[in-house]
């Protein structure tokens, strides 16, 4: 009888310990897991931010309809940064200082805003979960609270720029890039890749974030005789640069980062955008050629938000889905420490969007470094080079 009472008491203590641990973890209650996101909803990449946010909302709705994760529903808080690092910091501070706090900052949009907000999260002990950034500081140096989402621009350009340079039989390479953390990663990656094959840039030119006139940069690259151009550009800047090239009859081989891999490029720039290459991994969900699961997903997206699904909607969906995988593996006694340990032993198989297999470990907080290459052909992105063999 005494043994039974002892066992009962021990079970009660463990239950109370689980509840108290959860209560002490920011953003976690018996019934909810509160997560935050800061998106560009009014700035230069607002189209990315709005779609990413809605993709997150769709996956959260699905999870909550199915009862949540170990009995807890997900609650999403969102703020607008306008792609301004200072606003991103203020929005992040607001969230981590809320009564109860947030468990994780998920999918924070943009390299410069994410880098600026990172110290706030780490100081507060809040997980920085898969920011919408392809910069290496999202997961390097390894920190228990940092997990990356996008394959890095550095690695994508290091692999794909020289690969495409050789297959296109180009002779001189130039680069145009945005003069900030986003553009610098593309420049450094391409520079390293070209060094690997024994060449260097014939010309390097930049532009300030928000620029709209690229005439001088394009004229400079044409004058240098570059038949290959690496583009560290966002949506409007990509369209503006290529449009200027077409005006001058300048038609080099062009390769952009994953940020240019969006259907907004041909929608805004039209036929002139054909020929552009871009790093990518997940495929744009064209409903007329997508798999049945993707068509079903796209239909749900359109029903919920009254517009067509996009690749950034898929990214937002994937981020929450990967968060849910980590939370599920952590178990009902959710703590930050437990979540980190679960993530560091997590494997995620390729998803319906075409992402590669993801593996995490205590020394690897990015699931994969592999990217492939698509090209705009008749207004649609088509995969032309698959994942390189031997990369994770």
């Amino acid at each position: 009888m005494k043994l039974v009472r002892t066992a009962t008491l021990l079970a009660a203590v463990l239950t109370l310990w689980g509840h108290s641990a959860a209560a002490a973890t920011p953003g976690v209650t018996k019934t909810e897991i509160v997560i935050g996101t800061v998106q560009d909803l009014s700035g230069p990449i607002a189209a990315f931010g709005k779609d990413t946010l809605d993709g997150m909302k769709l996956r959260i709705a699905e999870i909550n309809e199915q009862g949540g994760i170990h009995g807890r529903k997900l609650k999403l808080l969102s703020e607008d940064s306008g792609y301004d690092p200072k606003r991103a910091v203020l929005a992040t501070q607001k969230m981590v200082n809320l009564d109860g706090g947030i468990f994780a900052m998920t999918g924070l949009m943009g390299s410069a805003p994410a880098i600026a907000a990172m110290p706030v999260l780490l100081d507060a002990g809040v997980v920085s979960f898969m920011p919408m950034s392809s910069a290496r500081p999202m997961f390097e140096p390894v920190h228990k609270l940092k997990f990356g989402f996008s394959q890095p621009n550095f690695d994508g350009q290091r692999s794909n720029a020289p690969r495409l340079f050789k297959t296109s039989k180009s002779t001189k390479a130039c680069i145009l890039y945005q003069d900030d953390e986003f553009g610098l990663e593309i420049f450094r990656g391409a520079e390293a890749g070209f060094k690997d094959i024994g060449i260097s840039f014939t010309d390097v030119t930049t532009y300030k974030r928000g620029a709209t006139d690229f005439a001088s940069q394009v004229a400079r690259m044409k004058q240098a005789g570059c038949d290959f151009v690496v583009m560290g550009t966002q949506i409007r800047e990509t369209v503006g640069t290529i449009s200027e090239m077409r005006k001058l009859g300048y038609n080099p081989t062009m390769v952009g980062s994953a940020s240019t891999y969006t259907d907004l490029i041909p929608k805004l720039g039209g036929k002139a955008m054909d020929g552009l290459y871009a790093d990518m991994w997940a495929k744009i969900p064209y409903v007329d050629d997508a798999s049945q699961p993707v068509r079903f997903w796209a239909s749900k997206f359109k029903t919920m938000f009254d517009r067509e699904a996009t690749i950034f909607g898929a990214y937002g969906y994937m981020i929450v889905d990967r968060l849910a995988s980590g939370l599920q593996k952590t178990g009902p006694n959710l703590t930050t420490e437990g979540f980190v340990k679960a993530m560091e032993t997590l494997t995620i198989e390729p998803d319906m969007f075409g992402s590669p297999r993801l593996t995490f470990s205590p020394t690897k907080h990015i699931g994969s470094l592999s990217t492939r290459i698509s090209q705009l052909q008749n207004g649609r992105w088509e995969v032309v080079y698959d994942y390189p063999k031997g990369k994770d």
Side-chain angles (χ1 to χ4, degrees):
M1 190 70 177
K2 183 177 179 181
L3 198 60
V4 172
R5 285 199 301 270
T6 301
T8 302
L9 179 61
L10 179 60
V13 168
L14 289 173
T15 299
L16 288 171
W17 177 84
H19 288 162
S20 64
T25 301
V28 179
T29 70
K30 292 180 181 179
T31 59
E32 279 188 335
I33 304 169
V34 182
I35 59 176
T37 191
V38 177
Q39 298 293 329
D40 178 4
L41 303 177
S42 60
I45 54 173
F48 290 173
K50 291 173 183 176
D51 284 346
T52 300
L53 179 60
D54 286 346
M56 295 172 72
K57 289 178 179 177
L58 174 54
R59 185 66 184 114
I60 287 171
E62 290 177 345
I63 290 168
N64 289 344
E65 286 170 5
Q66 295 164 4
I69 301 171
H70 298 297
R72 295 186 179 96
K73 301 288 183 72
L74 291 180
K75 179 180 179 180
L76 177 66
L77 307 178
S78 63
E79 294 282 342
D80 177 20
S81 73
Y83 199 64
D84 181 339
K86 292 180 181 178
R87 287 179 62 185
V89 169
L90 291 174
T92 302
Q93 289 172 333
K94 176 181 175 181
M95 287 191 185
V96 300
N97 290 324
L98 285 173
D99 184 26
I102 57 172
F103 177 74
M105 178 66 79
T106 55
L108 194 156
M109 174 62 71
S111 295
I115 289 170
M118 186 74 75
V120 177
L121 297 170
L122 302 189
D123 288 348
V126 173
V127 177
S128 173
F129 192 82
M130 301 195 177
M132 269 304 309
S133 164
S134 297
R136 289 174 292 170
M138 300 306 100
F139 60 91
E140 289 181 350
V142 173
H143 186 288
K144 68 177 183 178
L145 298 177
K146 291 167 40 174
F147 292 91
F149 170 65
S150 299
Q151 284 85 330
N153 281 329
F154 179 92
D155 293 85
Q157 288 298 326
R158 182 169 190 170
S159 171
N160 290 330
R163 182 185 187 187
L164 191 56
F165 183 85
K166 289 190 293 185
T167 58
S168 63
K169 297 182 180 179
S170 298
T171 59
K172 290 185 178 180
C174 284
I175 183 167
L176 168 67
Y177 69 91
Q178 185 167 289
D179 188 11
D180 65 3
E181 294 87 348
F182 161 77
L184 278 169
E185 280 291 283
I186 294 169
F187 167 68
R188 290 167 181 155
E191 182 181 48
F194 284 135
K195 185 177 180 181
D196 291 341
I197 61 172
I199 69 168
S200 58
F201 284 116
T202 298
D203 190 69
V204 174
T205 185
T206 65
Y207 67 90
K208 296 296 183 183
R209 189 187 310 147
T212 57
D213 184 356
F214 305 95
S216 63
Q217 291 94 333
V218 171
R220 177 172 163 172
M221 292 187 292
K222 183 180 181 184
Q223 179 68 29
C226 291
D227 54 1
F228 188 93
V229 176
V230 177
M231 301 183 68
T233 50
Q234 301 279 12
I235 306 171
R236 296 182 309 188
E237 298 81 3
T238 302
V239 173
T241 299
I242 296 176
S243 296
E244 185 65 28
M245 288 176 172
R246 302 310 189 211
K247 285 181 189 176
L248 297 180
Y250 177 39
N251 298 298
T253 298
M254 304 165 293
V255 59
S257 72
S259 291
T260 63
Y261 181 69
T262 163
D263 57 0
L264 287 173
I265 298 291
K267 284 179 180 177
L268 293 173
K271 181 70 175 174
M273 302 300 110
D274 275 1
L276 174 66
Y277 292 92
D279 293 338
M280 48 79 69
W281 58 98
K283 293 179 68 175
I284 286 177
Y286 295 121
V287 177
D288 59 350
D289 70 353
S291 65
Q292 191 279 329
V294 173
R295 289 198 301 272
F296 182 63
W297 170 82
S299 176
K300 286 196 293 183
F301 189 99
K302 186 171 184 179
T303 298
M304 191 167 181
F305 305 111
D306 195 28
R307 67 180 189 281
E308 299 297 331
T310 68
I311 188 61
F312 278 82
Y315 292 155
Y317 187 92
M318 282 186 268
I319 288 168
V320 173
D321 189 64
R322 293 173 187 182
L323 177 71
S325 295
L327 292 170
Q328 187 68 40
K329 187 169 185 179
T330 305
N333 294 326
L334 178 59
T335 64
T336 300
E337 195 69 31
F339 175 78
V340 170
K341 289 180 179 177
M343 282 297 305
E344 290 179 340
T345 58
L346 188 65
T347 295
I348 300 176
E349 297 302 326
D351 59 32
M352 62 182 170
F353 301 105
S355 297
R357 186 172 185 262
L358 307 177
T359 59
F360 299 86
S361 75
T363 58
K364 180 173 175 280
H365 279 206
I366 181 76
S368 174
L369 297 176
S370 292
T371 61
R372 44 189 173 169
I373 304 176
S374 276
Q375 184 185 38
L376 269 175
Q377 300 174 0
N378 297 315
R380 290 170 66 119
W381 289 100
E382 303 290 346
V383 176
V384 292
Y385 298 104
D386 214 336
Y387 298 112
K389 293 182 179 179
K391 295 205 75 175
D392 62 354

